[in-house]
Amino acid sequence: DGMNVLFIVVDDLRPVLGCYGDKLVKSPNIDQLASQSIVFSNAYAQQAVCAPSRVSFLTGRRPDTTRLYDFYSYWRVHAGNYSTMPQYFKENGYVTLSVGKVFHPGVSSNYSDDYPYSWSIPPFHPSTEKYENDKTCRGKDGKLYANLVCPVDVTEMPSGTLPDIQSTEEAIRLLNVTKTNKQKFFLAVGYHKPHIPLRYPQEFLKLYPLENITLAPDPWVPEKLPAVAYNPWMDIRQRDDVKALNVSFPYGPLPDDFQRQIRQSYYAAVSYLDMQVGLLLNALDDVGLSNSTIVVFTADHGWSLGEHGEWAKYSNFDVATRVPLMFYVPGLTTSSVSQGERVFPYLDPFSHSSGLVPQGRSKKVVELLSLFSTLAELAGLQVPPVCPETSFHVALCTEGTSIVRYFNASEEEVEEGEDGCDDIYSCFDEEPVAFSQYPRPADTPQWNSDKPKLKDIRIMGYSMRTVDYRYTVWVGFNPNNFSADFEDVHAGELYMVETDPNQDDNIYNNTSHGWFFKKIIA
């Protein structure tokens, strides 16, 4: 009998978690999950914006195949009638359930979160989601604003709650229902925070006194950053508290004290998220299903917190593309769990500091694209075939290969296998690579640089990340026929991870990079 799947996806969460070595954050419940999981420390999204990333990993296809780079088309109509990961589980006898933000709502999932293809019952959205961007943040003057930084008294909120609290309650209710009905399930739970606005219960601020909050290590725009690579963080400029600062366009910067407040609230929102995850996993224990449920925890992309003078996502940097990714598989990542044994006792972020280390850690570079085939393999389903070169007509295939092969090999063993290369290039060919991409409307930052609509895209930044480097090339792009022209190079970036982990020193112009270029167009 196959295992259940609990798939947790978080909006805009970069790996600021204890289990990823962050010393400041309080994330005891996610760290506890990591202590029973294999944790991938080099996992990357395929495009650092919500809808394209989610459609990509839920279909197992790259944005160039889903043809979704913005929010305004439904892949089944616009690209090809591709099966999704939950659809595949549903077709294999699972009850598939969606709670919160799993697909990006709206056109890109047919205004239905791809129901009934992907889900057995209509997806649940919290009733208070509609107030997310309303004026619910109390300013110092006592008035209400639509702020970026928005700690709130939950009792004063509409319905006395917040969307993620409602999602946790619904997910717990569904766990109880499936237990009663003894149904095999694929339950996807999508949490909103730390997506902006940073609206969370105000008590979480106590965990992060402002004097402990530093600026980003590199809060300036790097000297050799091509203008096309920069994202001008328009979405945060539209919030009342940021608007009041009258920051210059496109580079800012934001005042230091406000940068600290954003970072403080991002951390507070992560601890609020951790509490929700803790309650959900504790409920998995309560219904006695921790020994028969695979748990996946990840995010749709990261979020810049002032690095490179940037905020938000919308770029190809690690801070925007790198995500947490962990898999808990009873009997594989942990010794088998006996029925009724508690694996995930709830840990209060206010009284527990973590200290738990991941059960296993892989530094292998992996892509979110691999989720579909990986989960199929872990659940004992037939792994969907790898897509042919053009796959618009193929309903079931994936462009990401399963990463289960990295689960139980210790780092050393995996590394040794690569030493038997005749020459450096064949070695490199075996090296795992993560590809990301980001569209731009122009060579210089303008009002729609963060989120250009398809018809306005003129340049595509294709980026390649290995364990040693990030190489990005910005090339001409024609939105009418979805074609990139690699002979029309507008700019390039090359960062060496070992000497420049924060990606501040672009050595593209003083390096010969013909080899990288060949690899990216291959």
Side-chain angles (χ1 to χ4, degrees), residues 317-450:
F317 281 122
D318 278 15
V319 282
T321 54
R322 185 171 167 240
V323 292
L325 177 62
M326 60 189 81
F327 298 84
Y328 161 79
V329 188
L332 178 60
T333 64
T334 63
S335 49
S336 45
V337 181
S338 53
Q339 182 71 40
E341 185 188 334
R342 295 203 79 81
V343 185
F344 304 118
Y346 174 72
L347 303 175
D348 181 349
F350 293 93
S351 54
H352 274 88
S353 60
S354 179
L356 295 166
V357 293
Q359 176 69 30
R361 183 186 287 286
S362 174
K363 294 197 178 98
K364 287 286 178 201
V365 171
V366 297
E367 303 177 301
L368 283 185
L369 202 61
S370 294
L371 278 166
F372 190 160
S373 46
T374 303
L375 276 174
E377 181 173 347
L378 288 172
L381 305 181
Q382 193 167 359
V383 178
V386 172
C387 292
E389 184 107 3
T390 20
S391 64
F392 296 108
H393 58 289
V394 184
L396 179 68
C397 68
T398 72
E399 294 178 336
T401 50
S402 167
I403 56 174
V404 174
R405 65 189 185 282
Y406 297 148
F407 275 39
N408 40 18
S410 73
E411 286 299 308
E412 289 68 44
E413 286 168 37
V414 178
E415 297 304 330
E416 268 171 33
E418 289 177 6
D419 289 346
C421 306
D422 301 332
D423 67 325
I424 188 156
Y425 291 116
S426 63
C427 254
F428 270 142
D429 284 344
E430 298 311 306
E431 180 180 39
V433 176
F435 292 99
S436 303
Q437 62 191 96
Y438 212 85
R440 292 281 186 242
D443 283 300
T444 51
Q446 56 187 48
W447 68 274
N448 62 341
S449 289
D450 293 346

Side-chain angles (χ1 to χ4, degrees), residues 147-269:
N147 285 344
L148 168 63
V149 172
C150 186
V152 296
D153 176 345
V154 178
T155 60
E156 287 180 5
M157 291 299 103
S159 308
T161 188
L162 290 171
D164 286 342
I165 296 172
Q166 291 184 292
S167 291
T168 302
E169 290 165 353
E170 175 65 8
I172 291 172
R173 188 186 75 77
L174 289 170
L175 284 176
N176 282 288
V177 170
T178 54
K179 185 199 181 193
T180 311
N181 299 347
K182 298 195 165 43
Q183 293 165 306
K184 206 164 50 166
F185 64 82
F186 178 103
L187 169 59
V189 182
Y191 285 114
H192 282 270
K193 294 304 116 177
H195 191 290
I196 66 169
L198 298 168
R199 188 167 78 110
Y200 55 86
Q202 59 197 17
E203 55 271 25
F204 285 93
L205 268 181
K206 289 204 287 273
L207 293 172
Y208 303 101
L210 209 47
E211 60 268 22
N212 295 354
I213 307 291
T214 59
L215 296 179
D218 51 349
W220 51 83
V221 180
E223 199 183 322
K224 290 180 277 189
L225 181 71
V228 68
Y230 187 81
N231 73 282
W233 32 281
M234 283 302 289
D235 55 352
I236 77 166
R237 291 171 190 272
Q238 286 150 15
R239 308 279 159 175
D240 291 345
D241 48 356
V242 180
K243 244 188 231 163
L245 297 168
N246 227 343
V247 178
S248 72
F249 182 88
Y251 297 111
L254 289 170
D256 286 5
D257 60 335
F258 194 74
Q259 293 196 34
R260 284 195 177 85
Q261 284 176 43
I262 299 176
R263 288 170 68 91
Q264 174 192 39
S265 272
Y266 187 90
Y267 274 84

Side-chain angles (χ1 to χ4, degrees), residues 1-265:
D1 218 18
M3 296 230 186
N4 304 308
V5 178
L6 173 57
F7 181 80
I8 304 170
V9 58
V10 184
D11 229 348
D12 294 24
L13 177 67
R14 61 192 256 171
V16 292
L17 298 165
C19 50
Y20 278 83
D22 191 289
K23 299 285 187 280
L24 186 64
V25 78
K26 305 270 190 301
S27 54
N29 294 288
I30 298 168
D31 297 345
Q32 176 171 256
L33 172 63
S35 75
Q36 306 290 321
S37 301
I38 170 106
V39 174
F40 285 87
S41 52
N42 269 315
Y44 297 89
Q46 277 46 79
Q47 191 182 322
V49 68
C50 308
S53 173
R54 288 164 185 264
V55 168
S56 170
F57 71 67
L58 288 164
T59 60
R61 320 261 183 145
R62 298 188 188 280
D64 281 348
T65 309
T66 65
R67 293 186 160 172
L68 182 68
Y69 312 108
D70 59 15
F71 296 81
Y72 307 107
S73 69
Y74 180 40
W75 77 91
R76 291 186 192 273
V77 171
H78 187 72
N81 187 21
Y82 312 144
S83 295
T84 68
M85 171 166 58
Q87 177 183 354
Y88 190 60
F89 275 82
K90 182 170 164 243
E91 288 164 357
N92 278 281
Y94 281 72
V95 173
T96 56
L97 307 160
S98 174
V99 172
K101 184 175 171 183
V102 180
F103 279 100
H104 190 87
V107 187
S108 63
S109 57
N110 204 30
Y111 299 100
S112 65
D113 292 10
D114 198 44
Y115 174 80
Y117 296 102
S118 286
W119 311 109
S120 305
I121 61 173
F124 170 86
H125 283 279
S127 60
T128 60
E129 211 172 83
K130 57 180 173 287
Y131 307 114
E132 269 295 271
N133 294 313
D134 289 6
K135 299 190 173 203
T136 54
C137 323
R138 205 167 285 292
K140 291 199 170 69
D141 57 5
K143 293 189 185 137
L144 292 176
Y145 294 93
N147 285 344
L148 168 63
V149 172
C150 186
V152 296
D153 176 345
V154 178
T155 60
E156 287 180 5
M157 291 299 103
S159 308
T161 188
L162 290 171
D164 286 342
I165 296 172
Q166 291 184 292
S167 291
T168 302
E169 290 165 353
E170 175 65 8
I172 291 172
R173 188 186 75 77
L174 289 170
L175 284 176
N176 282 288
V177 170
T178 54
K179 185 199 181 193
T180 311
N181 299 347
K182 298 195 165 43
Q183 293 165 306
K184 206 164 50 166
F185 64 82
F186 178 103
L187 169 59
V189 182
Y191 285 114
H192 282 270
K193 294 304 116 177
H195 191 290
I196 66 169
L198 298 168
R199 188 167 78 110
Y200 55 86
Q202 59 197 17
E203 55 271 25
F204 285 93
L205 268 181
K206 289 204 287 273
L207 293 172
Y208 303 101
L210 209 47
E211 60 268 22
N212 295 354
I213 307 291
T214 59
L215 296 179
D218 51 349
W220 51 83
V221 180
E223 199 183 322
K224 290 180 277 189
L225 181 71
V228 68
Y230 187 81
N231 73 282
W233 32 281
M234 283 302 289
D235 55 352
I236 77 166
R237 291 171 190 272
Q238 286 150 15
R239 308 279 159 175
D240 291 345
D241 48 356
V242 180
K243 244 188 231 163
L245 297 168
N246 227 343
V247 178
S248 72
F249 182 88
Y251 297 111
L254 289 170
D256 286 5
D257 60 335
F258 194 74
Q259 293 196 34
R260 284 195 177 85
Q261 284 176 43
I262 299 176
R263 288 170 68 91
Q264 174 192 39
S265 272

